[in-house]
């Protein structure tokens, strides 16, 4: 049986007792725990002179293989091109994208560094699965080093349309990197179409089947493989956490009021100011909710020191203060804004307590919190998921109330609809969502992608 090597920017063992990890880390760990193999990538440590040694830690069938980055590499590759250029561009925020040749050179340099570190760990029958926008050039660098193994890639973020991709000065080199993979996986059909539009219209390629395309002398397959969550484990953890001390504290603090919950990284792509504005409109347009409904927004800190993130944090604090100042009572605060992380088990208990899950990103590759909210709900009296149409999850979680996050009045109406929804309809919507989550959980996602990669004829 072929061994699986997963390559991601960051390797971070997930501990249920520690603060929530990102969706990619959670999904990758769940997949690898079942299959075994190697998880390879950056350790998260930065130093002026990083060591050349790859550190290996064995945990059951899984080996963590990590290395450090230099301060310069971290600044140019991670903070620079990956998160100041690709992240805003891929989330349709061209106005926030910083185009720098120096950062792009650092991005290519670090991808070549990743490849050099990985080559010595690869065995002839290994399947290599590269993840996310930090590592587009990995397959190209591995091919240059003589690696003939099957190499797959999965993009967790959106891939914007051709017109936006062309704004990237290095788009030809970057997009050519896709063509060195045997299989490229996307969250949605729109993302896959963006790659094919580039390959055919810009690179002069052609389709050679339903998923196979040829461009620049290379052949690859582009497929949709939407990611899932560990549905059964979330369901059990949520029920346990809701019955524990923390869940009891939460219910006591609400004093019989209803709860709307949002959980996001603190990022401009998540639509948090728009969400606060919609909740404020709910309290103004539907005054019966005053002193009866609270919004708890958990915004996990991210990318400290980046000006755009400091700005959105200040904006949220200002908005929460304004709404609370206008509507609060001596025993009720409309918005509970928490700029901190929670252990995953605790988070699932909070999700289970909420009558409405409010997940309204302006653009998101998938959004696993939307799935976690559904999986956390009590079967006999579930809450309602209010979900942005611009999240990939809108295509994967039936039963959600779909909204346009830019329409504050429309989101407020959807929240009110959800609060008023009869139990019978809530149960029907929840059952539809859970059926989809169980059918396409994280294990299924891994199994399908890896099996498709193993069958790829191009290596």
């Amino acid at each position: 049986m072929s061994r699986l090597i997963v390559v991601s920017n960051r390797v971070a063992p997930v501990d249920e007792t520690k603060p929530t990890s990102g969706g990619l880390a959670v999904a990758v760990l769940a997949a690898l725990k079942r299959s075994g193999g190697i998880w390879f990538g950056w350790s998260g440590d930065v130093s002026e002179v990083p060591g050349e040694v790859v550190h290996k830690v064995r945990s059951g069938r899984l080996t963590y293989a990590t290395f450090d980055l230099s301060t310069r590499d971290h600044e140019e590759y991670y903070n620079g091109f990956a998160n100041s250029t690709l992240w805003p561009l891929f989330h349709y925020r061209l106005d926030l994208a910083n185009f720098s040749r120096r950062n792009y050179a650092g991005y290519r340099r670090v991808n070549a560094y990743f490849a050099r570190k990985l080559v010595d760990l690869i065995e002839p029958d290994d399947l290599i699965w590269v993840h996310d926008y930090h590592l587009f050039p990995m397959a190209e660098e591995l091919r240059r080093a003589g690696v003939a193994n099957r190499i797959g890639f999965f993009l967790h973020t959106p891939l914007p349309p051709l017109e936006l991709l062309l704004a990237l000065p290095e788009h030809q080199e970057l997009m050519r990197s896709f063509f060195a993979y045997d299989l490229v996986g996307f969250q949605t059909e729109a993302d896959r179409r963006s790659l094919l539009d580039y390959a055919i219209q810009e690179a002069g390629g052609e389709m050679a089947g339903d998923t196979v395309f040829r461009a620049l002398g290379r052949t690859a397959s582009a497929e949709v493989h939407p990611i899932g969550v560990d549905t059964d484990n979330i369901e059990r953890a949520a029920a346990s956490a809701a019955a524990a001390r923390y869940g009891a504290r939460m219910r006591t603090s609400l004093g019989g009021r209803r709860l709307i919950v949002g959980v996001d990284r603190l990022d401009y792509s998540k639509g948090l100011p728009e969400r606060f504005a919609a909740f404020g409109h709910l309290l103004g347009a539907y005054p019966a909710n005053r002193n009866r409904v609270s919004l708890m927004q958990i915004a996990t800190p991210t990318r400290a020191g980046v000006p755009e993130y400091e700005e959105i944090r200040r904006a949220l604090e200002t908005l929460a203060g304004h709404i609370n100042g206008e509507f609060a009572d001596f025993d009720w605060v409309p918005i509970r804004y928490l700029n901190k992380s929670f252990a995953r088990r605790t988070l699932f208990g909070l999700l289970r307590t909420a009558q409405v899950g409010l997940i309204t990103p302006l653009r998101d590759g998938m959004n696993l919190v939307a799935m976690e909210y559904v999986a956390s709900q009590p079967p006999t009296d579930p809450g309602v998921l209010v979900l942005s149409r611009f999240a990939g999850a809108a295509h994967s979680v039936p039963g959600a109330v779909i909204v346009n996050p830019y329409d504050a009045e429309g989101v407020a109406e959807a929240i009110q609809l959800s609060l008023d929804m009869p139990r019978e309809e809530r149960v029907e919507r929840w059952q539809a969502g859970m059926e989809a989550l169980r059918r396409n959980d994280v294990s299924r996602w891994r199994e399908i992608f890896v099996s498709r990669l193993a069958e790829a004829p191009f290596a």
Side-chain angles (χ1 to χ4, degrees):
M1 180 179 178
S2 298
R3 192 176 58 163
L4 180 64
I5 298 178
V6 169
V7 185
S8 64
N9 164 65
R10 179 79 183 273
V11 175
V14 178
D15 186 337
E16 294 288 327
T17 67
K18 294 182 178 179
T20 306
S21 301
L24 185 154
V26 173
V28 165
L29 183 63
L32 274 172
K33 277 183 174 179
R34 287 164 173 77
S35 67
I38 297 176
W39 189 0
F40 174 89
W42 172 42
S43 65
D45 293 329
V46 177
S47 58
E48 289 298 331
V49 184
E52 291 296 316
V53 178
V54 172
H55 305 283
K56 299 179 185 177
V57 176
R58 183 81 177 180
S59 177
R61 301 172 62 199
L62 172 60
T63 298
Y64 297 95
T66 62
F67 54 87
D68 301 343
L69 288 179
S70 71
T71 303
R72 177 192 174 196
D73 285 346
H74 179 260
E75 184 60 31
E76 294 176 2
Y77 149 77
Y78 182 74
N79 284 339
F81 193 74
N83 289 320
S84 295
T85 303
L86 292 182
W87 179 267
L89 176 64
F90 283 20
H91 289 83
Y92 295 60
R93 291 301 303 271
L94 195 56
D95 59 311
L96 297 179
N98 174 29
F99 300 112
S100 162
R101 292 186 180 182
R102 176 183 176 183
N103 287 343
Y104 178 68
Y107 178 81
R108 297 295 307 213
R109 182 180 66 249
V110 172
N111 268 268
Y113 180 62
F114 266 66
R116 289 198 304 273
K117 295 289 185 184
L118 180 59
V119 164
D120 292 339
L121 303 180
I122 298 173
E123 297 176 359
D125 291 334
D126 287 343
L127 297 174
I128 303 169
W129 191 5
V130 181
H131 288 262
D132 231 7
Y133 61 101
H134 310 81
L135 299 173
F136 285 131
M138 269 295 291
E140 196 167 40
E141 297 294 345
L142 290 171
R143 299 299 187 206
R144 286 175 181 167
V147 174
N149 299 58
R150 291 179 171 85
I151 309 176
F153 179 85
F154 188 83
L155 183 61
H156 293 256
T157 70
L159 186 66
L162 175 61
E163 291 77 7
L164 283 180
L165 289 171
L166 294 180
L168 182 67
E170 300 85 6
H171 67 83
Q172 290 180 327
E173 290 183 30
L174 190 75
M175 295 302 292
R176 187 184 64 209
S177 301
F178 272 114
F179 308 155
Y181 291 96
D182 299 297
L183 173 62
V184 181
F186 296 100
Q187 303 278 26
T188 70
E189 177 59 31
D191 301 324
R192 187 182 85 101
R193 177 50 55 187
S194 294
L195 174 61
L196 296 180
D197 285 347
Y198 188 95
I200 294 168
Q201 298 180 36
E202 185 67 21
E206 62 178 3
M207 296 302 297
D210 291 340
T211 65
V212 178
F213 65 95
R214 298 192 184 99
L216 303 179
R218 298 171 176 172
T219 301
S221 182
E223 300 179 359
V224 177
H225 293 285
I227 196 171
V229 295
D230 196 350
T231 306
D232 291 341
N233 281 337
I234 293 171
E235 191 174 13
R236 288 191 294 269
S240 173
R245 181 175 60 87
Y246 202 96
R249 281 178 56 196
M250 183 72 244
R251 289 188 294 275
T252 299
S253 74
L254 288 170
R257 299 179 183 92
R258 307 176 83 181
L259 180 65
I260 301 168
V261 69
V263 180
D264 306 85
R265 286 190 307 105
L266 187 62
D267 190 278
Y268 48 78
S269 67
K270 301 300 183 180
L272 300 182
E274 291 81 0
R275 189 178 306 171
F276 280 18
F279 182 70
H281 184 80
L282 174 78
L283 297 179
Y286 303 95
N289 291 306
R290 299 176 193 176
N291 214 339
R292 296 183 179 178
V293 177
S294 293
L295 168 64
M296 175 180 285
Q297 176 61 57
I298 298 170
T300 306
T302 182
R303 297 169 193 162
V306 178
E308 290 84 359
Y309 295 92
E310 296 297 328
E311 182 178 338
I312 191 173
R313 179 173 179 171
R314 288 193 298 270
L316 289 173
E317 290 169 352
T318 300
L319 275 169
H322 174 75
I323 293 169
N324 287 341
E326 181 177 357
F327 294 108
D329 210 334
F330 68 89
D331 63 344
W332 170 68
V333 178
I335 296 180
R336 302 183 182 191
Y337 171 51
L338 305 176
N339 190 223
K340 60 184 292 186
S341 302
F342 287 87
R344 287 179 57 74
R345 181 174 177 273
T346 300
L347 180 63
F348 297 150
L350 292 174
L351 293 176
R352 190 179 181 90
T353 303
Q355 283 71 41
V356 176
L358 190 57
I359 310 296
T360 53
L362 304 181
R363 185 68 58 176
D364 219 338
M366 179 53 68
N367 197 298
L368 299 184
V369 175
M371 299 180 178
E372 290 168 348
Y373 175 78
V374 174
S376 296
Q377 292 306 293
T380 59
D381 190 20
V384 180
L385 174 63
V386 176
L387 179 62
S388 167
R389 67 179 301 161
F390 302 119
H395 304 279
S396 298
V397 186
V401 176
I402 304 299
V403 297
N404 175 359
Y406 295 94
D407 178 8
E409 295 180 11
V411 174
E413 290 171 356
I415 296 172
Q416 189 62 50
L417 173 71
S418 301
L419 290 170
D420 293 340
M421 190 175 293
R423 179 183 299 201
E424 182 179 354
E425 182 178 351
R426 286 188 280 115
V427 169
E428 287 180 4
R429 286 174 177 267
W430 176 81
Q431 288 175 340
M434 282 298 285
E435 182 181 346
L437 294 187
R438 290 194 175 105
R439 186 172 60 246
N440 300 303
D441 70 0
V442 69
S443 298
R444 180 73 170 158
W445 170 70
R446 176 194 62 81
E447 290 165 3
I448 292 177
F449 190 96
V450 171
S451 66
R452 292 291 294 157
L453 178 60
E455 296 167 358
F458 315 119

